[in-house]
Amino acid sequence: PGAAPAEALCDSLQRRLMRWHQLGEAAEYYDLLNRGPYKPTVIHALNRFGGQMGPYVDARLQLRSVEYINASPIDNVGAPKFVATMCPKRETFAHFWSMVWELGATVVVNLTHERDKVGSEPTDKRERYWPPFDAPAGDEAWPVRPRTVGCDACEQVPGLERYTIELTGPADGVHGGVAASRTVSLYWYSRWVDFPNSASIGSKPFYANAWNALHIALHVLPLLRARGDDHWTVCHCSAGVGRTGTFIALLHVLLRLPALRAIGALDGALRETIEAMRERRLWMGKNDVEFATLYAAILLQLRNLNLADFELSWRATMAPPPDGAPPPADAAADAAPALAGEAQLASADGSGGDGGGDGGDGDGDGGEASPALFSWARAAIACWVALQAVYFASLLIFTGAM
């Protein structure tokens, strides 16, 4: 009896995605409320992008162990509860792990792209904050110390790695004055492009990313549900808004999917979830490609209802790969199942709009290219990302004046 409504929803999703592909944008995205910041935000030197992109003043995460951290509790859309945060800078590595410890979080989801620009300067987008890493001076005095004890590569999702992190925290009365320890699973999916081009909607890489995100969501969901409604999960990308908001929205809509049998009901559920998250953190789900990714992932789930098809297997590695290592060949486009319709066969790859994405670290496949060419490319990328930071700052100032 439920097959007909599900098929009708699939058909509606297929037509919607095809229309967006033909238009070169997901027009309905622009009907969502609060696409930009609409409340005062915290401007702080510990934020990325020159102090911008901070949490809302009235919705920042309050901790006992850390005076300030750029993080927001996303607990107004039901369980599972998330903390959305920025990728730590070197100055905030210790703050990040203290936050994870105080929250009791045992799952961290990292969505930064492997070629997002590495560093903690205003134009940089990510750092490796778990061992082995370039630890700041004085790390031996951190109240919570991380140690990487395992690393696994996912066989089904290119770019997905699972790190097992052992945290050692401060002694307390519960443990008889002896330092306590806890294990955290850190999932790093390193293939989600930031600032994709709207023309990529409907392309093979677009669907491949939706397919990968769906796999990760369906793997993580049962883990979080088993931990109970009070468990906090930490999720971040670079600024902790776009890819982070999209992933959190996907998990919550997947939980509601059995009751959503018409496109209008799905539209309403996505709108409700995204707009609620934006009450807690600015720019959650920040562009139309991320919005369209949600619809693509739901379509892929409805076309592949056997959850056994989404089970992940892992290959243990001897040691975590060094930061900045060249990525393996991406087989994601071949892994995504075929869907009926021309949108699946579009040629646009969506990588041209990545702010600091492909080529962001200057580690392209240049072969015999000269050092001068690489220097020019690095300078051009730095200027582009700097313009983004200026844009964000201008938008914050503009909206604050309204």
Side-chain angles (χ1 to χ4, degrees):
E7 189 60 34
L9 178 56
C10 285
D11 291 343
S12 296
L13 286 167
Q14 187 75 43
R15 289 193 298 271
R16 174 81 59 86
L17 287 160
M18 176 69 75
R19 177 166 57 84
W20 288 345
H21 164 64
Q22 293 169 342
L23 288 173
E25 67 173 2
E28 284 82 348
Y29 166 76
Y30 300 99
D31 295 330
L32 296 174
L33 296 179
N34 302 323
R35 287 192 293 114
Y38 72 103
K39 297 187 288 186
T41 60
V42 178
I43 299 175
H44 199 287
L46 293 179
N47 296 340
R48 285 195 173 272
F49 309 110
Q52 308 297 326
M53 300 291 289
Y56 286 129
V57 172
D58 66 357
R60 72 180 182 91
L61 183 67
Q62 303 283 348
L63 296 170
R64 299 185 304 275
S65 57
V66 178
E67 182 178 351
Y68 170 75
I69 190 166
N70 185 337
S72 310
I74 310 298
D75 58 354
N76 61 338
V77 291
K81 300 189 300 184
F82 280 85
V83 165
T85 186
M86 71 173 196
C87 184
K89 298 164 62 175
R90 292 184 77 247
E91 305 96 304
T92 68
F93 287 0
H95 301 168
F96 179 86
W97 289 118
S98 289
M99 174 185 72
V100 171
W101 182 268
E102 182 174 331
L103 292 172
T106 57
V107 176
V108 175
V109 179
N110 175 354
L111 300 173
T112 56
H113 195 281
E114 62 200 346
R115 295 195 179 186
D116 283 347
K117 191 166 182 286
V118 177
S120 295
E121 297 302 314
T123 60
D124 298 334
K125 303 180 74 174
R126 73 174 178 95
E127 288 270 17
R128 181 178 174 123
Y129 52 88
W130 66 98
F133 56 7
D134 181 18
D139 65 304
E140 65 279 354
W142 288 3
V144 177
R145 294 188 52 78
R147 183 171 72 95
T148 301
V149 296
C151 176
D152 305 297
C154 182
E155 301 283 1
Q156 291 77 20
V157 180
L160 176 61
E161 293 173 323
R162 179 181 62 189
Y163 294 85
T164 302
I165 311 295
E166 182 185 78
L167 296 182
T168 301
D172 55 37
V174 176
H175 298 90
V178 178
S181 64
R182 181 187 309 149
T183 299
V184 173
S185 295
L186 189 159
Y187 294 87
W188 181 23
Y189 172 49
S190 60
R191 301 296 177 85
W192 197 329
V193 174
D194 196 14
F195 288 101
N197 193 315
S198 295
S200 69
I201 296 174
S203 69
K204 283 187 176 181
F206 166 81
Y207 275 106
N209 184 62
W211 182 244
N212 290 342
L214 177 61
H215 271 77
I216 301 167
L218 291 175
H219 174 77
V220 168
L221 261 179
L223 302 180
L224 304 188
R225 299 186 77 179
R227 285 162 170 76
D229 292 350
D230 291 332
H231 179 266
W232 288 99
T233 298
V234 175
C235 186
H236 74 84
C237 44
S238 180
V241 295
R243 292 166 286 187
T244 296
T246 305
F247 185 75
I248 296 174
L250 176 58
L251 265 69
H252 281 278
V253 172
L254 284 172
L255 288 173
R256 298 174 60 178
L257 188 57
L260 304 175
R261 285 294 183 243
I263 190 68
L266 178 60
D267 289 341
L270 284 170
R271 173 187 288 272
E272 178 182 297
T273 301
I274 294 171
E275 291 181 350
M277 290 192 301
R278 287 177 174 179
E279 293 175 5
R280 297 298 176 86
R281 191 166 178 85
L282 72 169
W283 277 315
M284 294 292 275
K286 72 176 181 297
N287 60 57
D288 65 326
V289 181
E290 292 169 346
F291 182 66
T293 298
L294 293 169
Y295 283 85
I298 295 300
L299 175 59
L300 290 166
Q301 168 70 107
L302 291 173
R303 293 291 195 203
N304 302 271
L305 291 174
N306 185 5
L307 292 181
D309 293 339
F310 292 93
E311 292 181 359
L312 302 183
S313 55
W314 304 86
R315 172 177 50 83
T317 57
M318 294 299 294
D323 201 26
D330 190 352
D334 295 330
L339 290 177
E342 296 177 3
Q344 274 294 94
L345 305 177
S347 60
D349 67 6
S351 62
D354 181 15
D358 292 346
D361 298 337
D363 296 331
D365 300 323
E368 301 295 326
S370 68
L373 178 59
F374 283 120
S375 297
W376 178 88
R378 289 191 183 97
I381 291 166
C383 290
W384 197 95
V385 179
L387 287 173
Q388 288 185 62
V390 172
Y391 166 76
F392 291 147
S394 301
L395 185 57
L396 286 166
I397 293 170
F398 174 75
T399 53
M402 295 183 64

